[in-house]
């Protein structure tokens, strides 16, 4: 499955669909427990590397790559460069 459909963090169409769904239905998609934990860790830390996130979740990256991609599509988190390192952080100060 991963070979045929790898997770894509940067997918403008998926981001548009997620935003459009929220606006049209007036509701937000439900987050799974891993996604909730990811957002909680990022809120507490202010942003960390994907490796550090993997360690804190105690999960291999392959296990939560799709969760990261989904959260990026929902504009809940983003990546940025800090000190030459790629850091995952909250999109903005949101829930």
């Amino acid at each position: 499955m991963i070979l045929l459909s790898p997770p894509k963090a940067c997918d403008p169409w998926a981001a548009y669909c997620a935003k459009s769904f929220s606006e049209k239905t007036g509701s937000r998609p439900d987050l799974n427990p891993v996604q909730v934990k990811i957002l909680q860790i990022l809120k507490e830390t202010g942003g960390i590397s994907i490796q550090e996130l993997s360690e804190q979740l105690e999960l291999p990256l392959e296990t939560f790559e799709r969760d990261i991609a989904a959260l990026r599509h929902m504009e809940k988190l983003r990546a940025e460069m800090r000190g030459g390192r790629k850091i995952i952080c909250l999109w903005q100060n949101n829930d």
Side-chain angles (χ1 to χ4, degrees):
M1 172 102 161
I2 292 173
L3 293 175
L4 297 175
S5 179
K8 296 179 184 175
C10 297
D11 185 343
W13 183 246
Y16 169 80
C17 289
K19 193 174 206 175
S20 178
F21 174 80
S22 295
E23 290 171 357
K24 288 182 181 177
T25 63
S27 65
R28 296 181 293 168
D30 292 333
L31 301 177
N32 68 37
V34 173
Q35 292 168 339
V36 170
K37 184 70 175 167
I38 290 169
L39 294 176
Q40 179 184 5
I41 290 169
L42 295 178
K43 189 173 187 176
E44 291 170 359
T45 63
I48 57 178
S49 72
I50 197 80
Q51 293 80 16
E52 293 168 317
L53 183 57
S54 178
E55 291 169 10
Q56 287 203 25
L57 289 171
E58 297 178 352
L59 295 170
L61 176 59
E62 299 78 29
T63 305
F64 66 93
E65 276 181 316
R66 289 193 186 280
D67 294 310
I68 293 288
L71 290 169
R72 287 185 75 167
H73 298 157
M74 289 185 268
E75 296 183 345
K76 295 284 186 187
L77 60 83
R78 63 188 176 88
E80 67 179 41
M81 294 298 287
R82 290 186 194 166
R85 292 179 17 170
K86 185 177 178 182
I87 300 296
I88 305 297
C89 58
L90 294 177
W91 186 269
Q92 55 187 338
N93 289 334
N94 59 14
D95 53 324

